[in-house]
């Protein structure tokens, strides 16, 4: 698996990843915001994440396997010595031991 920092080139494949795995994710995490249901508003939301990366407020990554997104990882709510970490993977990766959602402080 290759881990890449979120960039604009990932917006469309990440939108598809989110849509294809929506019911799986929502078994473990709160429902996605309405902005995730439309590519235009999803792209806007991702652009906000890019700005957060640029100012060190958060870091967002995608994991690719055979050039397809199979994992999303987020480091956010960064404080002086704490942060939250979220990892979301497709069900097939879940079976191989990847944690689906984990928070660490």
């Amino acid at each position: 698996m290759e881990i890449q920092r979120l960039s604009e080139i990932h917006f469309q494949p990440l939108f598809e990843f989110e849509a294809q795995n929506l019911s799986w994710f929502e078994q473990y995490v709160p429902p996605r915001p309405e902005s995730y249901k439309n590519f235009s508003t999803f792209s806007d939301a991702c652009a906000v994440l890019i700005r957060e990366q640029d100012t060190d407020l958060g870091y967002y990554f995608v994991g690719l396997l055979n050039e397809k997104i199979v994992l999303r990882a987020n480091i956010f709510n960064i404080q002086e010595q704490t942060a939250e970490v979220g990892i979301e993977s497709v069900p097939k990766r879940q079976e191989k031991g990847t944690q689906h959602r984990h928070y660490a402080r």
Side-chain angles (χ1 to χ4, degrees):
M1 180 184 308
E2 179 182 356
I3 304 294
Q4 296 179 358
R5 194 168 170 173
L6 181 65
S7 70
E8 287 185 32
I9 64 167
H10 299 118
F11 290 4
Q12 182 65 46
L14 185 58
F15 178 74
E16 293 167 8
F17 169 80
E18 290 285 343
Q20 292 168 356
N21 295 288
L22 180 66
S23 62
W24 171 251
F25 294 154
E26 290 185 352
Q27 292 178 49
Y28 303 96
V29 297
R32 297 297 198 231
E34 286 296 312
S35 62
Y36 276 44
K37 296 179 180 175
N38 172 284
F39 180 69
S40 177
T41 54
F42 178 81
S43 294
D44 292 342
C46 288
V48 170
L49 300 179
I50 299 293
R51 287 193 295 277
E52 284 186 21
Q53 288 186 142
D54 292 343
T55 57
D56 296 326
L57 294 174
Y59 300 98
Y60 305 92
F61 304 90
V62 293
L64 295 108
L65 188 61
N66 300 323
E67 299 183 22
K68 183 175 179 176
I69 294 177
V70 296
L71 176 96
R72 178 177 183 169
N74 308 314
I75 302 170
F76 58 102
N77 290 338
I78 298 173
Q79 304 296 318
E80 282 186 31
Q81 295 186 17
T82 64
E84 291 184 67
V85 177
I87 301 172
E88 302 157 353
S89 63
V90 296
K92 290 179 184 174
R93 298 306 307 163
Q94 178 74 11
E95 294 167 8
K96 297 181 188 247
T98 303
Q99 286 191 342
H100 183 6
R101 185 77 170 178
H102 176 74
Y103 289 100
R105 288 196 169 256

